[in-house]
Amino acid sequence: MNKSTHRIVWIDQLRALCILLILWFHTEIYCTGADVVPYDLYVADALCTFYFLSGYLFYNGRPFSLKRKMQSILRSIVVPYFFFTLLLCLPKALFHDISPYSLLLQIVKGNGSWFVSSLITAEVVFSCALWLKKAWVIHMLAAIALTIAMLLTGTDLSAHHNYWNFHNALIGLVFICLGYEYHRHEERFQFLHRTSSLMILLFVFVIIKIYILKSGTSLLIEPVAISNYAVFMLNMLCTLPLAVGLAQRLPAARWLQWTGQRTLVYYFFCGAIPAAVSMFFTIPAGQYYLIVIAFIIVYFITSAIVWIFYRYLPFLLQ
């Protein structure tokens, strides 16, 4: 969720589509009690796309400054992490019947918002790798991160000592590296954006998803419970160029751009607002179509809250 002084429309719109998918998932979970549309069909894809776009924006063609990047991470991600997780601490404690002290401890350990803390961890590590100014370091980092993530999956260390969501951050690092390298060599990947290439990618994407559903393969990345890393990577390597190619073809839509420019704050509330709406809007069995109404309500309430923070506390969100 890096920021750029020059907005790139397709990135903002792709971010918006990803956060809408995350909002849909949480709305469905809270209002129906289950992921009726399976998690493995789209949730991990949306989350990994966020990591990929963060990596994409790391590259800007200018000399890299570790000091400037660390200041940016602190200002634009770390400060909002502590502000919003602390703000939501008491409501979360009441809703889930958990002691505020326990939640405060989780926040300090970096587990107040798993995705944001994993992004912080991944961006800090990636920044240090860029500081070395060696291209091979990026490739090595991606390979090492994926290998360690595989080895940690299902272990006690990952289950009980995942401070600052380092296990999730390892997954994120892989896609941050891919996003950075994609942008650095973007001209080489233009063939993937042809109509014929997108049609092939879409066909392969559907085949992979059918296989995932039929085989029961898990793509869960929180907690990390990926059951087949080969399928997981094949799925993402198909999803990412497909998502980028389609996003670049989307007509500009102001509301999508507005949403995409503010996805960090949307993410902090993507669980709280669906949970609150579900208290008044439970979807009966057999009436799944009502989820659309619930989702629209969730989106507008969350957007109103996001607008308030950007309007009155802009210094927190620079």
Side-chain angles (χ1 to χ4, degrees):
M1 297 180 188
N2 271 325
K3 290 180 176 65
S4 173
T5 54
H6 175 66
R7 305 305 312 192
I8 302 174
V9 173
W10 71 263
I11 289 181
D12 285 336
Q13 298 201 154
L14 182 52
R15 280 174 163 173
L17 293 174
C18 288
I19 202 64
L20 290 175
L21 290 175
I22 302 303
L23 277 175
W24 180 277
F25 172 72
H26 284 99
T27 302
E28 186 184 73
I29 286 290
Y30 280 108
C31 289
T32 69
D35 54 336
V36 182
V37 178
Y39 171 102
D40 298 314
L41 282 182
Y42 68 99
V43 182
D45 304 71
L47 293 168
C48 289
T49 298
F50 275 127
Y51 290 127
F52 178 86
L53 293 176
S54 289
Y56 184 96
L57 291 174
F58 258 90
Y59 179 77
N60 56 23
R62 298 192 296 271
F64 179 75
S65 168
L66 181 61
K67 179 182 177 180
R68 186 166 58 245
K69 189 60 187 177
M70 290 301 183
Q71 290 173 339
S72 174
I73 292 171
L74 176 65
R75 183 180 63 253
S76 63
I77 314 180
V78 177
V79 171
Y81 165 80
F82 281 106
F83 175 81
F84 284 105
T85 53
L86 288 170
L87 179 69
L88 292 169
C89 183
L90 184 58
K92 188 179 290 187
L94 294 172
F95 185 84
H96 294 287
D97 193 24
I98 304 173
S99 73
Y101 173 77
S102 176
L103 284 176
L104 284 172
L105 191 60
Q106 291 301 309
I107 290 170
V108 172
K109 290 180 178 179
N111 297 320
S113 175
W114 79 265
F115 178 78
V116 178
S117 60
S118 73
L119 184 66
I120 292 169
T121 304
E123 288 204 1
V124 168
V125 173
F126 186 74
S127 296
C128 293
L130 280 185
W131 177 69
L132 297 174
K133 297 181 172 62
K134 301 290 184 181
W136 63 266
V137 172
I138 306 302
H139 306 152
M140 185 68 71
L141 180 63
I144 292 174
L146 184 60
T147 301
I148 297 176
M150 292 172 62
L151 294 174
L152 285 176
T153 302
T155 66
D156 182 72
L157 179 63
S158 174
H160 303 293
H161 306 284
N162 192 23
Y163 304 124
W164 282 89
N165 289 279
F166 69 88
H167 196 183
N168 314 82
L170 290 168
I171 302 295
L173 261 174
V174 174
F175 296 103
I176 288 176
C177 291
L178 287 175
Y180 179 85
E181 287 298 289
Y182 176 89
H183 194 180
R184 196 161 73 94
H185 303 289
E186 193 163 12
E187 68 283 352
R188 299 182 184 179
F189 297 103
Q190 289 306 306
F191 74 94
L192 292 172
H193 302 160
R194 300 170 186 163
T195 300
S196 57
S197 297
L198 291 176
M199 294 298 292
I200 293 171
L201 285 170
L202 181 59
F203 176 76
V204 175
F205 175 82
V206 171
I207 296 299
I208 293 172
K209 291 302 184 183
I210 291 173
Y211 173 80
I212 288 170
L213 291 179
K214 293 286 188 181
S215 64
T217 301
S218 171
L219 304 185
L220 185 64
I221 60 174
E222 170 42 30
V224 180
I226 299 167
S227 60
N228 188 323
Y229 274 86
V231 173
F232 171 75
M233 288 304 299
L234 183 60
N235 175 85
M236 296 307 170
L237 290 175
C238 179
T239 295
L240 293 171
L242 179 61
V244 170
L246 293 177
Q248 290 180 347
R249 290 171 176 243
L250 274 179
R254 290 181 64 86
W255 72 275
L256 268 183
Q257 293 172 51
W258 188 92
T259 300
Q261 292 166 14
R262 296 162 175 81
T263 49
L264 180 64
V265 182
Y266 270 97
Y267 193 87
F268 285 115
F269 289 93
C270 72
I273 302 307
V277 169
S278 71
M279 298 172 68
F280 308 95
F281 202 100
T282 302
I283 309 296
Q287 298 185 39
Y288 182 78
Y289 65 91
L290 292 175
I291 196 70
V292 176
I293 299 173
F295 171 74
I296 292 172
I297 294 171
V298 164
Y299 173 71
F300 278 106
I301 293 175
T302 310
S303 297
I305 292 171
V306 169
W307 179 86
I308 289 170
F309 279 107
Y310 273 89
R311 175 67 175 82
Y312 295 104
L313 296 172
F315 58 90
L316 280 172
L317 304 161
Q318 297 301 318

